[in-house]
Amino acid sequence: MIYYVTKNRSLIESNNYKIITVQESLNILKNLTVIGVDTETEGLDVYTKKLLLLQLGNYNEQIVIDCTTIDVVYYKDYLESKNRLFLFWNAKFDLKFLYHHNIYPTKVYDGYLAEKLMWLGYPPGIHSLSLKTAGYDYCNIELDKSVRGKIIGAKYISDDIIVYAATDVKYLEHIKDKQLVKLKEKDLLTALNIENRFVLVLAYIEYCGVRLDIDKWKAKMKKDEAALNQALKALNDWVINNPILSKYTYINRDGDLFEGFDLTPKVKVNWNSQQQVIPLFKDLGIDTKTLDKATKKMKDSLDAKVLKPQRDKSPIIPLYLKYKELIKVTSTYGQNFIEQINPVSYRIHTNYNQMGADTTRITSGGKDKFAHVEYVNLLNLPADAETRACFTAEKGNKWISIDYSGQETYLMASIANDKAIIKELTEGSGDIHSLTAYMSYHEIPRDTPIKDIKSKYHNLRQEAKGIEFAINYGGDANTISNNKGIPIEEAQKIYDSYMNGFKGLQAYQKFRRKDWLDKGYILLNPLTGHKAYIYDYEDLMKIKSRFNPEFWDYYREMKTECPTCDTVQQVRYFFKRKSATEKQSINYPIQATGSMCLRFSLINFWYWIVKNNLINKVKICITPYDEINCEAPEDIAEKVATEMYNCMINAGKIFCTKCKLDADMSRLPNGELPTYWIH
């Protein structure tokens, strides 16, 4: 039965629903302990668009509340009750509109996140995460979504809109029950519990947004543009001054009657066109060939991964890479940020994607096809002081920024239980780059203290950074050879020395390379149960099942006679996917555990904010992976900072058990908390 709560007395009683009062609706709802929740709004921006409808109910009874005539606050106590479970689909969106009306549910179940957990690891498009698909898959019903387009811009709430709104909560409990059976089979109930808690705070982070100092940002933009022009001039000057590249320059001898003649050489290469730049690079002996993973054919590329290993071949490579870096900075972090300042909140509100990455890390940005907006990415901002300082607290507030210290190194050491790294972190200088150099390069005398390597063998320590990054995330001698442009024999020697020095890491990687193959998924964290599934696992196992001596004899024959045949292509596909998945199996658990540290920190910090009635006073602004940034009134800022630090340290204790994962709080030179982002 559909009930409609409204003060619009001009409505004629309908066969589709019954009009009731607020109190009557609460009387119907009071006996329900599991309630579906949904909203219909004018648009996606909570600050400029109105809440039109709030829907509450279950399969038997659905309450549709006309929020244009009924104050939704009448339902605040009900929605905040702790003995009821509220079911959502994509809760983050609905929660923001409830937060805007000072309604803060505490116990939620998000069917969208449940579905996402079961399909984590699969490429987009393989399985729809929509409520419409869930309705069909779990309840064998076709949810009609054609009415959705009528709601935005509708002059009145029609019967079909009311029925449509009610239907969106009708099946949520049935879907939940079916999902829970699958989630239990996959051992994902703990993971879902965490995600359902985390969505409460992530919605709040989106709602809070962050304040941008426009004057500082414009000054940064001007400086970035000047740096770009300087980089462009450096590129052009290098070409002009290189005689063998004269075919890429020209002189305009025609001149102009009013402006005179400019006989200085000009470069006729568009540096933003790969087609024009590649021939120039080839003339300089720079190799632009790389393997296209999609087509499995060689192609030309000017990607940094192709050029960086060759940076010693020509001075133009670092000049070009610097130019491309500044092109990205000026286009990605420019006027678009100013344009996304909300006209009501005067803050930037981006879109965060919970479990946006297969490691469960949140991502931000993306396009909104309805609002015609491409949200800015607040999680990948340049780390330079000038850019960060553009993000500021409101007047009367302090900015609190705390980030984990060397999070991935500590987590890797703890997860892999590597004695050498743990000892250096807990008893030594903590300089892992120097330790890596010591393990990798035996030209460093064995009696050299690790703390002295930075000063005595600075170059080798610098080289060790690349080795550390490559091997720790599944690379091998070939990776080192390609990245550093050194012979494979030399790279193999470095790799063997590294692995012999870090036995725990070696054992961890050996286990991770096999574990996914046995399970069909990457166990991201054993405490939470999050998993990244191998989307083509069954196909890989079918190919692998054919591997026997007779098959390999046939394969070698076909590789020579018909390299494009299915057998050869399947073998290539298997080993390509095996290599990629092994690296993911090594890397993902470390990144995912870091993501869990952030989740637990934010969940507990959110509970503290709610408990102390500090919502909308303490605003969580930006959370880039291993860092939390918030702002708080000056008189309580130190107390808030201490609590946030404790939340992060306590979360670290849960997941980093072999060594202490600490965190750094940014302060001004005088020890005070700043009013802007310091990193």
Side-chain angles (χ1 to χ4, degrees):
M1 178 67 184
I2 300 174
Y3 300 94
Y4 188 43
V5 184
T6 183
K7 288 183 179 178
N8 186 359
R9 295 307 176 187
S10 64
L11 287 177
I12 301 172
E13 198 72 38
S14 169
N15 293 328
N16 295 319
Y17 54 83
K18 179 182 178 181
I19 297 177
I20 60 174
T21 65
V22 170
Q23 189 55 53
E24 287 173 327
S25 71
L26 289 171
N27 288 339
I28 294 170
L29 291 167
K30 69 180 180 181
N31 294 322
L32 303 183
T33 56
V34 179
I35 306 99
V37 185
D38 192 30
T39 62
E40 304 301 335
T41 68
E42 281 186 331
L44 304 178
D45 177 25
V46 66
Y47 288 95
T48 60
K49 303 300 179 182
K50 293 179 181 177
L51 175 63
L52 298 177
L53 299 174
L54 171 66
Q55 303 94 264
L56 303 169
N58 61 10
Y59 182 79
N60 296 315
E61 296 168 314
Q62 305 93 45
I63 312 291
V64 180
I65 301 145
D66 174 11
C67 298
T68 65
T69 65
I70 300 293
D71 191 344
V72 71
V73 176
Y74 285 125
Y75 297 87
K76 176 179 172 67
D77 289 343
Y78 186 82
L79 286 164
E80 291 182 350
S81 59
K82 296 180 180 179
N83 60 344
R84 293 184 174 91
L85 178 64
F86 295 98
L87 314 180
F88 293 81
W89 197 272
N90 193 16
K92 183 161 60 70
F93 175 82
D94 304 299
L95 286 170
K96 284 189 296 180
F97 276 89
L98 293 177
Y99 289 174
H100 198 57
H101 289 84
N102 296 311
I103 298 172
Y104 304 97
T106 58
K107 195 175 179 183
V108 305
Y109 176 100
D110 190 338
Y112 169 83
L113 294 177
E115 204 68 13
K116 178 70 175 176
L117 277 169
M118 290 187 282
W119 291 88
L120 198 63
Y122 286 79
I126 284 185
H127 176 75
S128 171
L129 302 177
S130 70
L131 178 58
K132 180 180 174 69
T133 298
Y136 183 81
D137 288 348
Y138 294 110
C139 303
N140 198 29
I141 54 103
E142 190 73 34
L143 293 172
D144 182 11
K145 293 295 180 181
S146 62
V147 180
R148 178 186 292 171
K150 292 184 179 181
I151 298 174
I152 297 178
K155 294 182 179 179
Y156 66 95
I157 298 171
S158 58
D159 277 21
D160 57 346
I161 290 176
I162 295 170
V163 173
Y164 164 83
T167 306
D168 271 359
V169 298
K170 181 175 182 177
Y171 297 97
L172 288 178
E173 187 174 2
H174 288 353
I175 292 171
K176 171 189 74 74
D177 291 342
K178 298 287 182 64
Q179 283 182 322
L180 287 176
V181 172
K182 287 192 172 185
L183 288 160
K184 187 175 181 179
E185 289 174 355
K186 294 175 178 289
D187 196 20
L188 288 171
L189 292 178
T190 300
L192 179 60
N193 180 36
I194 294 166
E195 298 305 328
N196 283 334
R197 292 168 184 259
F198 185 54
V199 72
L200 294 168
V201 62
L202 192 60
Y204 183 65
I205 296 170
E206 274 193 21
Y207 182 73
C208 289
V210 63
R211 185 176 179 274
L212 181 72
D213 187 312
I214 297 176
D215 291 336
K216 285 185 178 180
W217 191 259
K218 286 183 175 179
K220 182 202 81 76
M221 288 170 58
K222 187 175 180 180
K223 188 174 180 180
D224 290 341
E225 194 66 37
L228 175 62
N229 291 334
Q230 186 176 358
L232 178 60
K233 183 178 185 302
L235 261 179
N236 288 335
D237 287 350
W238 193 88
V239 172
I240 290 168
N241 293 326
N242 196 321
I244 68 169
L245 298 177
S246 59
K247 67 179 180 180
Y248 296 101
T249 65
Y250 71 97
I251 296 175
N252 182 6
R253 300 184 184 279
D254 295 335
D256 185 277
L257 291 174
F258 297 98
E259 297 183 6
F261 293 86
D262 180 6
L263 299 180
T264 57
K266 301 288 189 300
V267 175
K268 55 186 179 183
V269 174
N270 177 0
W271 294 105
N272 297 319
S273 168
Q274 288 206 27
Q275 288 184 334
Q276 294 187 35
V277 177
I278 286 171
L280 185 151
F281 274 35
K282 286 183 175 180
D283 285 347
L284 292 169
I286 298 169
D287 184 8
T288 61
K289 291 293 183 182
T290 188
L291 179 65
D292 187 329
K293 294 182 179 180
T295 64
K296 302 181 180 66
K297 296 180 180 178
M298 299 302 290
K299 69 172 185 178
D300 287 311
S301 172
L302 296 177
D303 190 271
K305 291 181 180 179
V306 177
L307 296 180
K308 277 186 177 180
Q310 305 178 73
R311 58 187 176 272
D312 294 334
K313 281 188 177 181
S314 172
I316 199 172
I317 292 178
L319 293 175
Y320 176 77
L321 292 175
K322 179 67 174 177
Y323 170 78
K324 295 301 290 184
E325 177 187 335
L326 287 166
I327 281 286
K328 180 180 178 181
V329 168
T330 53
S331 61
T332 308
Y333 310 106
Q335 182 64 27
N336 55 331
F337 271 68
I338 294 175
E339 291 171 354
Q340 288 197 29
I341 296 175
N342 190 283
V344 175
S345 70
Y346 303 110
R347 300 167 76 90
I348 294 175
H349 303 271
T350 192
N351 176 59
Y352 290 106
N353 305 297
Q354 191 167 337
M355 293 185 284
D358 291 339
T359 60
T360 75
R361 275 185 169 181
I362 60 174
T363 59
S364 74
K367 293 182 179 180
D368 182 338
K369 62 181 180 181
F370 296 107
H372 305 291
V373 171
E374 185 167 355
Y375 291 108
V376 296
N377 184 353
L378 290 177
L379 298 181
N380 199 29
L381 289 160
D384 63 279
E386 186 174 26
T387 299
R388 297 293 171 97
C390 295
F391 297 92
T392 64
E394 293 177 358
K395 187 176 181 180
N397 283 0
K398 291 289 189 178
W399 183 284
I400 304 164
S401 179
I402 307 177
D403 69 319
Y404 282 114
S405 308
Q407 186 192 60
E408 288 199 359
T409 299
Y410 278 80
L411 290 176
M412 180 188 67
S414 183
I415 292 169
N417 194 20
D418 190 282
K419 305 298 184 184
I421 302 176
I422 292 171
K423 183 177 180 181
E424 182 61 28
L425 292 175
T426 57
E427 301 175 20
S429 63
D431 187 350
I432 301 303
H433 300 318
S434 290
L435 180 63
T436 300
Y438 177 85
M439 296 297 190
S440 304
Y441 296 107
H442 280 251
E443 51 261 56
I444 297 176
R446 297 297 88 185
D447 59 350
T448 306
I450 302 301
K451 64 182 178 63
D452 293 343
I453 289 176
K454 185 174 182 179
S455 58
K456 292 183 177 180
Y457 301 95
H458 178 74
N459 290 338
L460 290 178
R461 182 180 179 276
Q462 288 297 108
E463 288 295 317
K465 292 180 181 180
I467 295 168
E468 183 183 333
F469 181 82
I471 299 178
N472 288 356
Y473 294 105
D476 54 17
N478 289 313
T479 312
I480 298 171
S481 175
N482 292 332
N483 289 354
K484 294 191 170 295
I486 59 177
I488 186 65
E489 296 80 12
E490 182 181 344
Q492 188 66 54
K493 182 180 177 181
I494 292 171
Y495 178 81
D496 292 341
S497 297
Y498 185 96
M499 284 304 187
N500 287 331
F502 298 116
K503 295 292 187 182
L505 189 62
Q506 183 183 45
Y508 166 77
Q509 291 198 1
K510 182 179 180 180
F511 171 76
R512 298 303 320 169
R513 291 180 192 276
K514 182 177 181 295
D515 190 55
W516 73 269
L517 201 58
D518 295 336
K519 291 185 169 76
Y521 59 81
I522 299 169
L523 181 60
L524 299 176
N525 187 278
L527 294 178
T528 69
H530 286 80
K531 301 171 178 67
Y533 290 94
I534 313 304
Y535 66 91
D536 53 353
Y537 183 70
E538 290 186 6
D539 293 335
L540 294 174
M541 292 303 98
K542 286 179 182 177
I543 297 172
K544 185 174 181 290
S545 67
R546 299 172 59 196
F547 294 170
N548 55 49
E550 292 79 9
F551 173 84
W552 289 119
D553 289 340
Y554 177 71
Y555 165 76
R556 283 186 283 271
E557 180 183 340
M558 297 307 294
K559 186 178 180 182
T560 302
E561 296 181 3
C562 186
T564 60
C565 71
D566 288 346
T567 298
V568 175
Q569 294 307 313
Q570 284 182 354
V571 170
R572 287 178 178 172
Y573 178 82
F574 177 85
F575 284 102
K576 173 190 169 186
R577 288 287 295 125
K578 180 175 180 290
S579 174
T581 308
E582 284 177 352
K583 290 178 181 178
Q584 291 169 345
S585 185
I586 291 167
N587 179 17
Y588 279 14
I590 297 168
Q591 287 197 22
T593 303
S595 175
M596 289 302 115
C597 287
L598 190 71
R599 271 169 167 70
F600 275 58
S601 300
L602 286 167
I603 289 169
N604 289 323
F605 187 50
W606 166 248
Y607 288 158
W608 182 82
I609 289 173
V610 173
K611 180 181 177 181
N612 289 275
N613 298 313
L614 293 173
I615 296 173
N616 294 324
K617 292 180 182 178
V618 175
K619 298 181 178 181
I620 308 174
C621 305
I622 307 178
T623 58
Y625 308 127
D626 62 350
E627 179 180 352
I628 301 177
N629 292 276
C630 78
E631 58 175 286
E634 186 173 358
D635 59 334
I636 62 168
E638 286 292 349
K639 180 180 179 181
V640 173
T642 299
E643 184 62 32
M644 194 164 87
Y645 174 82
N646 289 337
C647 285
M648 295 180 73
I649 294 302
N650 290 334
K653 289 177 181 177
I654 296 171
F655 297 102
C656 191
T657 58
K658 303 291 194 307
C659 45
K660 181 185 177 181
L661 179 58
D662 210 339
D664 293 323
M665 187 183 304
S666 298
R667 292 184 179 273
L668 296 170
N670 63 5
E672 292 183 2
L673 290 169
T675 57
Y676 56 91
W677 190 2
I678 298 176
H679 178 71

